[in-house]
Every structure is written in structure tokens, then in C-alpha cells.
Amino acid sequence: MLLGFILGVLISLLTLIPGLHAASLLMVVLPLMGTEVAISAACVSIGCSSMLGILGTVKSPVTKETLAMSDVAVKLAHKGYLDAVVRIHTMSVWVAFCVVSVIAGVTVFSVVVGENILWELSQLVKGVVPWILGFVLVGVVLRSSRPVRTALITTGGVYLGFWVFNGAGLRSNPWVMTPLLSGLFMVGSTLSLLFSHGEALVLPGDRVNHWEINPETEVKGAVIGCITGFLAGIGTSSLVALVGGCGDEEDYLALQSAADAANNFFAVLAFVLIGSTRSGSAAAIATIANSVSAFDALIYLSLISAGLIIGEKLLRGLSSVGEILPKRLLALVTLIGTVCLCYKTTGSVGLLVLVGAWLLGSQARAWHVPNQALLAVMIGPVMLYYFGATKILLG
């Protein structure tokens, strides 16, 4: 158990390196461990990474050119509000954990009395899932300030995702998301840093602020995260952008932080209670956990809470560190490592997917299209599958 705790924390610390994700590392490491150690490592890592993820985001390499396209947390940190970003994120993650814990308790109780609320709900929503996914795609286009360009990027994303999951021979490959997501969101920013004429920006000194976050915002974000964790194919950023309704950057940060955390926690809960993997971390657990019971959900959440406590302590300690690693060297190592990993796990087809996703992501940034449109690579294929269109399109 202690070894699992240590391993989970180490994996979480490694995710501070841009391009390295806890789910990918877990899928590499867990099969080499015993079941008890692996489960402990996975759950502790999920909790710890949920805290440290914000630090990896705001301290990732960024230049004056790339700052304009960065997310809210990065922009606030580079305005001098790093302490506020850490505080808002920490509070939001704990709220998300509480919401998921309540859902877990109610669901476990329903299983004890002979009903499985989560399973029955999953059967009920299957018929409406494709319509929800379609609504998300249409909403992303309509809410964009450049709807025509967003529609073109969304269409390209759907085509790319459909080809990757159905025509490229990678559908059964557990690493299929690695070249796809790396190309969309990591390669472009890394190349921009490497070939930018400007030096990487340094976080300014902290500014005093008195922001008060509405608790309803955090709960709302947690509920959004649970929904995205339950419905395959929907990303938190897409749903937050559609239903957020927040005018202030700090409120948006709280909403996104709570949604991301709840999505990770709830995905593990869904794996235990309905046997469906909704995230990379849950898929990693599924590689070593052959049989689970409803009560395992409570054990998993207890381990996640331990990871949250450790992650919060590390987050507050590391947030004062000026620079974790040299930024340009870090970007180069990350890029080379990603290319090697894609080739090792998915072959030459994976490299082709990586390049295609990078070109699509680069075009989206050049057109100032929101990142939510790029998630069509996942939403589109899932929507077509549930509509029954995949078999028709494949002949």
C-alpha cells in the first residue's frame, strides 16, 4: 500500500512535464505491479494530479505570442494572480470531490437495497446521448465569434476522428488517443516555444486580491464534470463553454477546475458501478482490476482523498518555485518523447495521426477558433456510432 502511495505521487509529479499525462503513465506502469499496489497508485495519482494539474498548466512554457491563446488560468497567473489561481483551483477540486462522494454514497446504498441507480440511468440515456453530443457540437459553432471557421474546424475534426477510430486500424489500440490529443493540443504550443523569437515569459510577482467565488459556481462545475464523466465523448471544456454563463475569469476558472476534477473522480466511480471506462485513468485501472464491487467505489474514493491531501500540500509548496525546469529544453524533450511514444505504441499510422492532428490544431489557432471545436475528433465519432451511422458509412 505504501509503495502504491509513493508511486502515485511520483507519477503525479512527472505530469508537471508538459506532454506527460497521468493516464498514459499509469497504463505503462500498472501492469508491472501487483493489484493492491497498482490500485493504490492509480487512485492516489488521480487525486494528486487533480491538484498539481493546475501547476503544470500555469507553469508550462508560454511566450507573448502563445499567451493570447492560453486558457484562463494561465492568463490570470501571468497577470500576477498565481496565488489566487491555486486557491480557487484547490477549493473547486474539494467541492467536486464532495459532490462525487455524495453520488457514490447514494449509488452504493441503492446497490445494497437491490437497485443500481447509475446503471439504470446509463440505460435510460443511451437513446439521447447522440442528440446531446450533436447539441454540444452545434452549440460550440453557434457560440463562437467565428462560426463559419469553427464549423469548418469541427467538420475536419469529425472526419479526422472517424478515420482514426474506424479506418486507421487503431480502434482497438489502447494508445489511440495519444497521437490524437498530443497533436491537437501539445505539439503546436511546443513548436511555437521552440521557434519563437521571444523568450519564454516568467510569472510575475503575486498581486493581492480579494476575489470571492460563488459556491454555486463550484457546485455547478462539479455537476458538469459528473455529466461529462458519465456521457462518453463529451469533454468538460465543451460543456463549460456552453452552459458556464460566467462573465468573470475567476468564476470561469472555478467552474473549469471543478468540472475537470469531478470528471476524473466520477469516471472511476462509473467504472466500478457500471463497468464502463470513461477516462484514461479508469482504463488503466481496468487493466489490472478484473472484478470490482460497489463497495470498491468507497475504497477508491478514500484513496483519491489521500491523493488530494498530498497534492494540495505539494501544490502550495511548489507554486512558490520560480521555474521547475528550463523551458526550451523541456519543450524539446517533451516533443521528442511524444514522437517516440507515438511511434512505439501506434506505429507509422500514429505518426500520421499526430501530424494530421497538429495541422488541424494549428489551423484552429491561426483562425482563432475555440479549442472546444477540436474536441469534435472524439464527440463526432461517438455521436455517429450511437446514431448507427458508423456501419452505414463503412458500408
Side-chain angles (χ1 to χ4, degrees), residues 85-139:
V85 169
V86 171
R87 174 171 52 84
I88 292 170
H89 175 79
T90 301
M91 293 171 58
S92 301
V93 170
W94 278 113
V95 170
F97 178 76
C98 292
V99 170
V100 175
S101 297
V102 170
I103 296 174
V106 172
T107 307
V108 170
F109 177 77
S110 72
V111 173
V112 172
V113 299
E115 300 288 341
N116 187 336
I117 294 176
L118 209 58
W119 172 260
E120 293 177 357
L121 183 60
S122 69
Q123 300 306 303
L124 181 65
V125 302
K126 277 187 175 180
V128 300
V129 164
W131 299 99
I132 296 175
L133 297 176
F135 169 77
V136 170
L137 287 182
V138 172

Short mmCIF file of all heavy atoms in Angstrom, two decimals, residues 85-139:
data_model
loop_
_atom_site.label_atom_id
_atom_site.label_comp_id
_atom_site.label_asym_id
_atom_site.label_seq_id
_atom_site.Cartn_x
_atom_site.Cartn_y
_atom_site.Cartn_z
N VAL A 85 -5.12 31.75 -8.36
CA VAL A 85 -5.40 30.59 -9.21
C VAL A 85 -5.29 29.31 -8.41
O VAL A 85 -6.17 28.43 -8.49
CB VAL A 85 -4.42 30.57 -10.41
CG1 VAL A 85 -4.51 29.23 -11.15
CG2 VAL A 85 -4.73 31.70 -11.37
N VAL A 86 -4.23 29.18 -7.61
CA VAL A 86 -4.04 27.99 -6.78
C VAL A 86 -5.17 27.86 -5.77
O VAL A 86 -5.71 26.78 -5.54
CB VAL A 86 -2.67 28.06 -6.07
CG1 VAL A 86 -2.55 26.95 -5.04
CG2 VAL A 86 -1.54 27.95 -7.09
N ARG A 87 -5.54 28.97 -5.13
CA ARG A 87 -6.59 28.93 -4.11
C ARG A 87 -7.94 28.55 -4.71
O ARG A 87 -8.65 27.68 -4.17
CB ARG A 87 -6.68 30.30 -3.43
CG ARG A 87 -7.84 30.44 -2.43
CD ARG A 87 -7.70 31.73 -1.66
NE ARG A 87 -7.54 32.89 -2.51
CZ ARG A 87 -8.56 33.55 -3.07
NH1 ARG A 87 -9.80 33.12 -2.89
NH2 ARG A 87 -8.34 34.60 -3.83
N ILE A 88 -8.30 29.16 -5.82
CA ILE A 88 -9.58 28.87 -6.46
C ILE A 88 -9.63 27.42 -6.93
O ILE A 88 -10.62 26.71 -6.72
CB ILE A 88 -9.81 29.83 -7.66
CG1 ILE A 88 -10.00 31.25 -7.17
CG2 ILE A 88 -11.02 29.38 -8.48
CD1 ILE A 88 -9.99 32.28 -8.28
N HIS A 89 -8.54 26.97 -7.55
CA HIS A 89 -8.48 25.59 -8.05
C HIS A 89 -8.60 24.60 -6.90
O HIS A 89 -9.36 23.61 -6.99
CB HIS A 89 -7.18 25.38 -8.80
CG HIS A 89 -6.96 23.98 -9.27
ND1 HIS A 89 -7.57 23.46 -10.40
CD2 HIS A 89 -6.22 22.97 -8.75
CE1 HIS A 89 -7.21 22.21 -10.55
NE2 HIS A 89 -6.38 21.88 -9.56
N THR A 90 -7.88 24.83 -5.81
CA THR A 90 -7.91 23.91 -4.67
C THR A 90 -9.31 23.79 -4.08
O THR A 90 -9.81 22.69 -3.83
CB THR A 90 -6.93 24.40 -3.58
OG1 THR A 90 -5.61 24.46 -4.13
CG2 THR A 90 -6.93 23.44 -2.40
N MET A 91 -9.96 24.92 -3.86
CA MET A 91 -11.32 24.89 -3.32
C MET A 91 -12.28 24.16 -4.26
O MET A 91 -13.12 23.37 -3.82
CB MET A 91 -11.80 26.33 -3.08
CG MET A 91 -11.05 27.07 -1.98
SD MET A 91 -11.47 28.83 -1.91
CE MET A 91 -13.25 28.74 -1.67
N SER A 92 -12.13 24.41 -5.54
CA SER A 92 -13.05 23.82 -6.53
C SER A 92 -12.88 22.30 -6.60
O SER A 92 -13.86 21.57 -6.74
CB SER A 92 -12.81 24.45 -7.90
OG SER A 92 -13.02 25.84 -7.87
N VAL A 93 -11.63 21.83 -6.52
CA VAL A 93 -11.39 20.39 -6.56
C VAL A 93 -12.03 19.70 -5.36
O VAL A 93 -12.63 18.63 -5.48
CB VAL A 93 -9.87 20.11 -6.61
CG1 VAL A 93 -9.59 18.63 -6.41
CG2 VAL A 93 -9.30 20.55 -7.96
N TRP A 94 -11.90 20.30 -4.18
CA TRP A 94 -12.51 19.70 -2.99
C TRP A 94 -14.04 19.68 -3.07
O TRP A 94 -14.68 18.73 -2.65
CB TRP A 94 -12.06 20.42 -1.72
CG TRP A 94 -10.72 19.97 -1.23
CD1 TRP A 94 -9.56 20.67 -1.19
CD2 TRP A 94 -10.40 18.67 -0.70
NE1 TRP A 94 -8.54 19.91 -0.69
CE2 TRP A 94 -9.03 18.68 -0.37
CE3 TRP A 94 -11.14 17.51 -0.48
CZ2 TRP A 94 -8.38 17.57 0.17
CZ3 TRP A 94 -10.49 16.41 0.06
CH2 TRP A 94 -9.13 16.43 0.38
N VAL A 95 -14.62 20.74 -3.62
CA VAL A 95 -16.07 20.75 -3.82
C VAL A 95 -16.48 19.64 -4.77
O VAL A 95 -17.46 18.92 -4.53
CB VAL A 95 -16.54 22.12 -4.37
CG1 VAL A 95 -18.00 22.05 -4.81
CG2 VAL A 95 -16.38 23.20 -3.30
N ALA A 96 -15.72 19.47 -5.86
CA ALA A 96 -16.01 18.41 -6.82
C ALA A 96 -15.93 17.04 -6.16
O ALA A 96 -16.78 16.16 -6.39
CB ALA A 96 -15.04 18.49 -7.99
N PHE A 97 -14.93 16.83 -5.32
CA PHE A 97 -14.78 15.55 -4.64
C PHE A 97 -15.97 15.28 -3.72
O PHE A 97 -16.46 14.15 -3.64
CB PHE A 97 -13.47 15.53 -3.84
CG PHE A 97 -13.26 14.26 -3.07
CD1 PHE A 97 -12.86 13.10 -3.72
CD2 PHE A 97 -13.47 14.22 -1.70
CE1 PHE A 97 -12.67 11.92 -3.02
CE2 PHE A 97 -13.28 13.04 -0.99
CZ PHE A 97 -12.88 11.90 -1.66
N CYS A 98 -16.43 16.31 -3.01
CA CYS A 98 -17.59 16.14 -2.12
C CYS A 98 -18.84 15.77 -2.90
O CYS A 98 -19.61 14.90 -2.48
CB CYS A 98 -17.81 17.42 -1.32
SG CYS A 98 -16.52 17.78 -0.11
N VAL A 99 -19.05 16.43 -4.04
CA VAL A 99 -20.23 16.13 -4.85
C VAL A 99 -20.19 14.68 -5.34
O VAL A 99 -21.19 13.95 -5.26
CB VAL A 99 -20.32 17.10 -6.05
CG1 VAL A 99 -21.40 16.66 -7.04
CG2 VAL A 99 -20.61 18.52 -5.56
N VAL A 100 -19.04 14.24 -5.85
CA VAL A 100 -18.90 12.87 -6.34
C VAL A 100 -19.05 11.87 -5.20
O VAL A 100 -19.65 10.80 -5.37
CB VAL A 100 -17.56 12.68 -7.05
CG1 VAL A 100 -17.36 11.23 -7.46
CG2 VAL A 100 -17.48 13.57 -8.29
N SER A 101 -18.55 12.21 -4.02
CA SER A 101 -18.67 11.31 -2.86
C SER A 101 -20.12 11.11 -2.46
O SER A 101 -20.53 10.00 -2.11
CB SER A 101 -17.86 11.86 -1.68
OG SER A 101 -16.49 11.93 -1.99
N VAL A 102 -20.90 12.17 -2.51
CA VAL A 102 -22.33 12.05 -2.19
C VAL A 102 -23.03 11.15 -3.21
O VAL A 102 -23.82 10.27 -2.84
CB VAL A 102 -22.99 13.45 -2.17
CG1 VAL A 102 -24.51 13.31 -2.08
CG2 VAL A 102 -22.47 14.26 -0.99
N ILE A 103 -22.71 11.34 -4.48
CA ILE A 103 -23.30 10.49 -5.52
C ILE A 103 -22.89 9.04 -5.32
O ILE A 103 -23.71 8.12 -5.45
CB ILE A 103 -22.86 10.98 -6.91
CG1 ILE A 103 -23.42 12.38 -7.19
CG2 ILE A 103 -23.32 10.01 -8.00
CD1 ILE A 103 -22.92 13.00 -8.47
N ALA A 104 -21.63 8.83 -4.95
CA ALA A 104 -21.15 7.47 -4.70
C ALA A 104 -21.90 6.83 -3.54
O ALA A 104 -22.31 5.66 -3.61
CB ALA A 104 -19.65 7.49 -4.41
N GLY A 105 -22.09 7.58 -2.46
CA GLY A 105 -22.80 7.04 -1.31
C GLY A 105 -24.23 6.65 -1.63
O GLY A 105 -24.69 5.57 -1.25
N VAL A 106 -24.93 7.50 -2.36
CA VAL A 106 -26.31 7.21 -2.74
C VAL A 106 -26.37 5.99 -3.65
O VAL A 106 -27.24 5.12 -3.50
CB VAL A 106 -26.94 8.44 -3.44
CG1 VAL A 106 -28.31 8.08 -4.01
CG2 VAL A 106 -27.05 9.60 -2.47
N THR A 107 -25.44 5.91 -4.60
CA THR A 107 -25.44 4.79 -5.54
C THR A 107 -25.12 3.47 -4.85
O THR A 107 -25.76 2.44 -5.12
CB THR A 107 -24.42 5.04 -6.67
OG1 THR A 107 -24.68 6.31 -7.26
CG2 THR A 107 -24.53 3.96 -7.73
N VAL A 108 -24.13 3.48 -3.95
CA VAL A 108 -23.78 2.26 -3.23
C VAL A 108 -24.95 1.79 -2.37
O VAL A 108 -25.25 0.59 -2.30
CB VAL A 108 -22.52 2.49 -2.36
CG1 VAL A 108 -22.29 1.31 -1.41
CG2 VAL A 108 -21.30 2.70 -3.23
N PHE A 109 -25.64 2.73 -1.74
CA PHE A 109 -26.81 2.37 -0.94
C PHE A 109 -27.89 1.75 -1.82
O PHE A 109 -28.54 0.76 -1.42
CB PHE A 109 -27.37 3.61 -0.24
CG PHE A 109 -28.62 3.34 0.55
CD1 PHE A 109 -28.56 2.73 1.79
CD2 PHE A 109 -29.88 3.70 0.04
CE1 PHE A 109 -29.72 2.46 2.52
CE2 PHE A 109 -31.03 3.45 0.75
CZ PHE A 109 -30.95 2.83 2.00
N SER A 110 -28.08 2.28 -3.03
CA SER A 110 -29.09 1.72 -3.93
C SER A 110 -28.72 0.30 -4.35
O SER A 110 -29.60 -0.55 -4.52
CB SER A 110 -29.25 2.61 -5.17
OG SER A 110 -28.12 2.52 -6.03
N VAL A 111 -27.42 0.03 -4.51
CA VAL A 111 -26.97 -1.32 -4.86
C VAL A 111 -27.25 -2.29 -3.71
O VAL A 111 -27.66 -3.43 -3.91
CB VAL A 111 -25.47 -1.32 -5.22
CG1 VAL A 111 -24.97 -2.75 -5.41
CG2 VAL A 111 -25.23 -0.50 -6.48
N VAL A 112 -27.04 -1.82 -2.49
CA VAL A 112 -27.27 -2.65 -1.31
C VAL A 112 -28.73 -3.08 -1.20
O VAL A 112 -29.04 -4.23 -0.85
CB VAL A 112 -26.83 -1.91 -0.03
CG1 VAL A 112 -27.25 -2.68 1.22
CG2 VAL A 112 -25.33 -1.70 -0.03
N VAL A 113 -29.64 -2.18 -1.55
CA VAL A 113 -31.07 -2.49 -1.46
C VAL A 113 -31.61 -3.14 -2.73
O VAL A 113 -32.82 -3.34 -2.86
CB VAL A 113 -31.89 -1.22 -1.12
CG1 VAL A 113 -31.46 -0.65 0.21
CG2 VAL A 113 -31.75 -0.17 -2.24
N GLY A 114 -30.73 -3.48 -3.67
CA GLY A 114 -31.15 -4.23 -4.84
C GLY A 114 -31.35 -3.42 -6.11
O GLY A 114 -31.84 -3.95 -7.11
N GLU A 115 -30.99 -2.16 -6.10
CA GLU A 115 -31.12 -1.32 -7.28
C GLU A 115 -29.77 -0.67 -7.57
O GLU A 115 -28.96 -0.45 -6.67
CB GLU A 115 -32.17 -0.23 -7.08
CG GLU A 115 -33.56 -0.75 -6.80
CD GLU A 115 -34.23 -1.36 -8.02
OE1 GLU A 115 -33.78 -1.06 -9.14
OE2 GLU A 115 -35.19 -2.13 -7.85
N ASN A 116 -29.53 -0.36 -8.83
CA ASN A 116 -28.31 0.36 -9.20
C ASN A 116 -28.74 1.58 -10.00
O ASN A 116 -28.98 1.51 -11.21
CB ASN A 116 -27.38 -0.52 -10.03
CG ASN A 116 -26.01 0.15 -10.28
OD1 ASN A 116 -25.89 1.38 -10.23
ND2 ASN A 116 -24.99 -0.65 -10.53
N ILE A 117 -28.84 2.69 -9.28
CA ILE A 117 -29.35 3.92 -9.90
C ILE A 117 -28.49 4.32 -11.09
O ILE A 117 -29.01 4.70 -12.15
CB ILE A 117 -29.38 5.06 -8.86
CG1 ILE A 117 -30.40 4.75 -7.76
CG2 ILE A 117 -29.71 6.37 -9.53
CD1 ILE A 117 -30.43 5.77 -6.65
N LEU A 118 -27.19 4.22 -10.94
CA LEU A 118 -26.29 4.66 -12.01
C LEU A 118 -26.44 3.79 -13.25
O LEU A 118 -26.44 4.28 -14.39
CB LEU A 118 -24.84 4.61 -11.51
CG LEU A 118 -23.86 5.60 -12.13
CD1 LEU A 118 -24.34 7.02 -11.92
CD2 LEU A 118 -22.48 5.41 -11.54
N TRP A 119 -26.60 2.48 -13.05
CA TRP A 119 -26.76 1.58 -14.19
C TRP A 119 -28.09 1.84 -14.90
O TRP A 119 -28.13 1.90 -16.14
CB TRP A 119 -26.70 0.12 -13.71
CG TRP A 119 -27.05 -0.85 -14.79
CD1 TRP A 119 -28.25 -1.49 -14.98
CD2 TRP A 119 -26.22 -1.27 -15.88
NE1 TRP A 119 -28.21 -2.28 -16.10
CE2 TRP A 119 -26.97 -2.17 -16.67
CE3 TRP A 119 -24.91 -0.99 -16.25
CZ2 TRP A 119 -26.45 -2.78 -17.80
CZ3 TRP A 119 -24.40 -1.59 -17.37
CH2 TRP A 119 -25.16 -2.47 -18.13
N GLU A 120 -29.14 2.00 -14.13
CA GLU A 120 -30.45 2.28 -14.74
C GLU A 120 -30.43 3.60 -15.49
O GLU A 120 -31.03 3.74 -16.57
CB GLU A 120 -31.52 2.28 -13.65
CG GLU A 120 -31.75 0.92 -13.01
CD GLU A 120 -32.76 0.97 -11.89
OE1 GLU A 120 -33.24 2.09 -11.57
OE2 GLU A 120 -33.07 -0.09 -11.32
N LEU A 121 -29.73 4.58 -14.93
CA LEU A 121 -29.64 5.87 -15.61
C LEU A 121 -28.84 5.75 -16.91
O LEU A 121 -29.20 6.37 -17.92
CB LEU A 121 -28.97 6.89 -14.68
CG LEU A 121 -28.84 8.32 -15.21
CD1 LEU A 121 -30.22 8.90 -15.51
CD2 LEU A 121 -28.09 9.20 -14.21
N SER A 122 -27.78 4.93 -16.88
CA SER A 122 -26.98 4.75 -18.10
C SER A 122 -27.79 4.12 -19.22
O SER A 122 -27.62 4.47 -20.39
CB SER A 122 -25.76 3.89 -17.79
OG SER A 122 -26.13 2.56 -17.50
N GLN A 123 -28.68 3.19 -18.87
CA GLN A 123 -29.54 2.58 -19.88
C GLN A 123 -30.56 3.58 -20.42
O GLN A 123 -30.93 3.57 -21.60
CB GLN A 123 -30.26 1.37 -19.28
CG GLN A 123 -29.32 0.28 -18.77
CD GLN A 123 -28.34 -0.19 -19.82
OE1 GLN A 123 -28.72 -0.62 -20.90
NE2 GLN A 123 -27.06 -0.10 -19.50
N LEU A 124 -31.01 4.46 -19.53
CA LEU A 124 -32.03 5.43 -19.91
C LEU A 124 -31.50 6.47 -20.89
O LEU A 124 -32.20 6.87 -21.83
CB LEU A 124 -32.57 6.12 -18.66
CG LEU A 124 -33.68 7.16 -18.86
CD1 LEU A 124 -34.94 6.50 -19.41
CD2 LEU A 124 -33.97 7.89 -17.56
N VAL A 125 -30.25 6.89 -20.69
CA VAL A 125 -29.73 7.98 -21.50
C VAL A 125 -29.11 7.54 -22.82
O VAL A 125 -28.75 8.39 -23.64
CB VAL A 125 -28.68 8.79 -20.71
CG1 VAL A 125 -29.28 9.34 -19.44
CG2 VAL A 125 -27.46 7.94 -20.42
N LYS A 126 -28.98 6.23 -23.02
CA LYS A 126 -28.34 5.78 -24.25
C LYS A 126 -29.03 6.31 -25.50
O LYS A 126 -28.38 6.62 -26.50
CB LYS A 126 -28.30 4.24 -24.29
CG LYS A 126 -27.14 3.64 -23.53
CD LYS A 126 -27.04 2.14 -23.73
CE LYS A 126 -25.80 1.58 -23.05
NZ LYS A 126 -25.68 0.11 -23.25
N GLY A 127 -30.34 6.40 -25.44
CA GLY A 127 -31.08 6.87 -26.61
C GLY A 127 -30.91 8.35 -26.89
O GLY A 127 -31.07 8.80 -28.03
N VAL A 128 -30.56 9.13 -25.85
CA VAL A 128 -30.45 10.58 -26.04
C VAL A 128 -29.00 11.05 -26.16
O VAL A 128 -28.76 12.21 -26.46
CB VAL A 128 -31.14 11.34 -24.89
CG1 VAL A 128 -32.61 10.98 -24.83
CG2 VAL A 128 -30.47 11.04 -23.55
N VAL A 129 -28.05 10.14 -25.91
CA VAL A 129 -26.64 10.53 -25.97
C VAL A 129 -26.25 11.17 -27.30
O VAL A 129 -25.63 12.25 -27.32
CB VAL A 129 -25.72 9.32 -25.66
CG1 VAL A 129 -24.29 9.60 -26.08
CG2 VAL A 129 -25.75 8.99 -24.19
N PRO A 130 -26.58 10.56 -28.46
CA PRO A 130 -26.16 11.19 -29.72
C PRO A 130 -26.75 12.58 -29.92
O PRO A 130 -26.10 13.46 -30.49
CB PRO A 130 -26.64 10.21 -30.79
CG PRO A 130 -27.72 9.42 -30.14
CD PRO A 130 -27.32 9.31 -28.71
N TRP A 131 -27.99 12.79 -29.44
CA TRP A 131 -28.60 14.10 -29.56
C TRP A 131 -27.89 15.12 -28.67
O TRP A 131 -27.72 16.28 -29.07
CB TRP A 131 -30.09 14.02 -29.21
CG TRP A 131 -30.85 13.11 -30.11
CD1 TRP A 131 -31.22 11.82 -29.88
CD2 TRP A 131 -31.32 13.41 -31.44
NE1 TRP A 131 -31.89 11.30 -30.96
CE2 TRP A 131 -31.98 12.26 -31.93
CE3 TRP A 131 -31.25 14.55 -32.25
CZ2 TRP A 131 -32.55 12.21 -33.20
CZ3 TRP A 131 -31.82 14.51 -33.51
CH2 TRP A 131 -32.46 13.34 -33.97
N ILE A 132 -27.48 14.69 -27.49
CA ILE A 132 -26.73 15.58 -26.60
C ILE A 132 -25.40 15.96 -27.23
O ILE A 132 -25.00 17.13 -27.23
CB ILE A 132 -26.50 14.90 -25.23
CG1 ILE A 132 -27.84 14.66 -24.53
CG2 ILE A 132 -25.59 15.75 -24.35
CD1 ILE A 132 -27.71 13.89 -23.23
N LEU A 133 -24.71 14.96 -27.79
CA LEU A 133 -23.44 15.23 -28.44
C LEU A 133 -23.60 16.18 -29.62
O LEU A 133 -22.79 17.08 -29.83
CB LEU A 133 -22.80 13.91 -28.90
CG LEU A 133 -22.44 12.91 -27.79
CD1 LEU A 133 -21.92 11.62 -28.41
CD2 LEU A 133 -21.41 13.49 -26.86
N GLY A 134 -24.64 15.95 -30.40
CA GLY A 134 -24.92 16.84 -31.52
C GLY A 134 -25.20 18.26 -31.06
O GLY A 134 -24.74 19.24 -31.68
N PHE A 135 -25.95 18.39 -29.96
CA PHE A 135 -26.24 19.71 -29.40
C PHE A 135 -24.96 20.41 -28.98
O PHE A 135 -24.80 21.62 -29.18
CB PHE A 135 -27.19 19.56 -28.21
CG PHE A 135 -27.35 20.83 -27.41
CD1 PHE A 135 -28.15 21.86 -27.85
CD2 PHE A 135 -26.68 20.98 -26.19
CE1 PHE A 135 -28.29 23.03 -27.11
CE2 PHE A 135 -26.81 22.13 -25.45
CZ PHE A 135 -27.61 23.16 -25.91
N VAL A 136 -24.03 19.66 -28.39
CA VAL A 136 -22.76 20.24 -27.97
C VAL A 136 -21.99 20.78 -29.18
O VAL A 136 -21.47 21.91 -29.15
CB VAL A 136 -21.91 19.19 -27.22
CG1 VAL A 136 -20.50 19.71 -26.98
CG2 VAL A 136 -22.56 18.85 -25.88
N LEU A 137 -21.91 19.99 -30.25
CA LEU A 137 -21.19 20.44 -31.45
C LEU A 137 -21.83 21.69 -32.05
O LEU A 137 -21.14 22.65 -32.40
CB LEU A 137 -21.15 19.32 -32.48
CG LEU A 137 -20.22 18.14 -32.20
CD1 LEU A 137 -20.27 17.15 -33.35
CD2 LEU A 137 -18.79 18.62 -31.99
N VAL A 138 -23.15 21.67 -32.18
CA VAL A 138 -23.85 22.83 -32.75
C VAL A 138 -23.67 24.05 -31.84
O VAL A 138 -23.46 25.17 -32.31
CB VAL A 138 -25.34 22.51 -32.94
CG1 VAL A 138 -26.12 23.77 -33.34
CG2 VAL A 138 -25.51 21.43 -34.00
N GLY A 139 -23.75 23.82 -30.53
CA GLY A 139 -23.58 24.92 -29.58
C GLY A 139 -22.21 25.55 -29.66
O GLY A 139 -22.07 26.77 -29.58
#
